[in-house]
Amino acid sequence: MEINRSELRKKIMTILYQINVYKNHKMNYDVEEIIKEVLEIDNEFVKDIVYGVITYQNEINDLANRYLEGWTIDRLGNTDKAILQMGIYELIYTNTPDIVCINEAIELAKLYSDDSVRKMINGVMDKIYHNK
């Protein structure tokens, strides 16, 4: 069964959410096990983004904090943090078209975040895009 990238991004958001929860509670975790729990199939797109966010987490968070006015990424909920980290990673470190990265992050935020956070994510993604 082929899953489109928008659906895969929901899975990635869930994986990153779980990793954030484990980290916040200082629990051990296995990234491969989390991926297998969320996604039954092996998928390179998912692994690339998940491991990319983990690898570049400090740079991604620094970039987010630069454009979050009066906030830091650590104050966001785990879902919102996962959406923003994935969006920034995809915008900066992949060949996905910029407009797709921004739009996908906003669409996830529409589904899973409240309106003020969605606007915040949109603002951060837009500023990063314009300052690339």
Side-chain angles (χ1 to χ4, degrees):
M1 179 178 93
E2 187 67 26
I3 303 174
N4 70 38
R5 287 206 165 175
S6 293
E7 289 300 315
L8 289 173
R9 284 183 184 91
K10 287 180 188 173
K11 303 284 188 188
I12 294 165
M13 178 196 71
T14 303
I15 293 162
L16 294 174
Y17 168 91
Q18 288 182 340
I19 290 169
N20 283 331
V21 169
Y22 288 131
K23 279 184 176 178
N24 291 344
H25 291 91
K26 296 176 178 36
M27 295 168 60
N28 292 330
Y29 59 90
D30 180 335
V31 175
E32 285 296 320
E33 287 301 314
I34 296 171
I35 291 172
K36 285 178 189 160
E37 284 174 23
V38 174
L39 191 67
E40 300 78 36
I41 58 167
D42 199 38
N43 186 283
E44 282 308 307
F45 176 73
V46 171
K47 287 183 177 181
D48 288 347
I49 303 254
V50 169
Y51 282 107
V53 169
I54 292 168
T55 301
Y56 295 104
Q57 189 158 33
N58 291 337
E59 293 88 341
I60 291 167
N61 290 352
D62 288 347
L63 202 50
N65 289 337
R66 190 178 314 158
Y67 298 111
L68 280 166
E69 294 170 16
W71 278 78
T72 62
I73 194 164
D74 291 330
R75 287 183 59 198
L76 295 175
N78 287 318
T79 302
D80 307 320
K81 186 176 180 179
I83 293 168
L84 189 54
Q85 287 173 327
M86 175 176 40
I88 292 171
Y89 174 78
E90 212 174 348
L91 186 62
I92 299 297
Y93 297 100
T94 72
N95 293 325
T96 305
D98 294 343
I99 191 71
V100 173
C101 299
I102 295 167
N103 190 47
E104 290 287 335
I106 292 166
E107 288 304 314
L108 282 171
K110 281 181 186 174
L111 291 172
Y112 299 102
S113 304
D114 67 32
D115 208 41
S116 61
V117 175
R118 179 191 57 76
K119 288 177 183 168
M120 194 182 299
I121 289 171
N122 186 16
V124 170
M125 295 291 292
D126 188 59
K127 288 174 187 164
I128 291 170
Y129 164 72
H130 285 293
N131 290 292
K132 256 175 88 166

